[in-house]
Amino acid sequence: MQMKKKMGKGVLLNLFLGKYHEPRKEERIVMFLDLTSSTAIAEKLDLYEYSSFLKDFFYDIDEAINETKGLYFNLWG
């Protein structure tokens, strides 16, 4: 279930079945996010703490992204 969330539906199975042995064009979505004060937060935490912070942040917003199918939304107004 975790791999499905990380890689997308069917990607892991297709990887095992050899679908990606040949190059192919696929549609992918990229998210750009400006996290307020992320540099200041990173300076206060060590590498592993900051990585964990980001992982937790993306976990927290995952449900909202899935519910809106990734459409733009602004949590703060």
Side-chain angles (χ1 to χ4, degrees), residues 6-68:
K6 290 182 183 285
M7 299 177 77
K9 184 179 180 182
V11 174
L12 186 60
L13 177 62
N14 288 330
L15 180 66
F16 286 130
L17 295 175
K19 178 179 176 182
Y20 299 113
H21 288 204
E22 295 291 325
R24 68 181 312 147
K25 188 175 181 178
E26 290 190 358
E27 184 176 321
R28 295 289 177 188
I29 297 171
V30 177
M31 181 176 81
F32 294 95
L33 176 79
D34 184 12
L35 185 59
T36 303
S37 301
S38 61
T39 302
I41 294 168
E43 290 172 347
K44 293 177 183 177
L45 303 175
D46 69 32
L47 177 64
Y48 298 104
E49 291 172 328
Y50 187 63
S51 177
S52 181
F53 167 76
L54 289 177
K55 182 180 72 171
D56 291 344
F57 174 77
F58 283 108
Y59 180 82
D60 291 343
I61 67 170
D62 180 68
E63 186 176 340
I65 292 169
N66 286 325
E67 285 178 1
T68 62

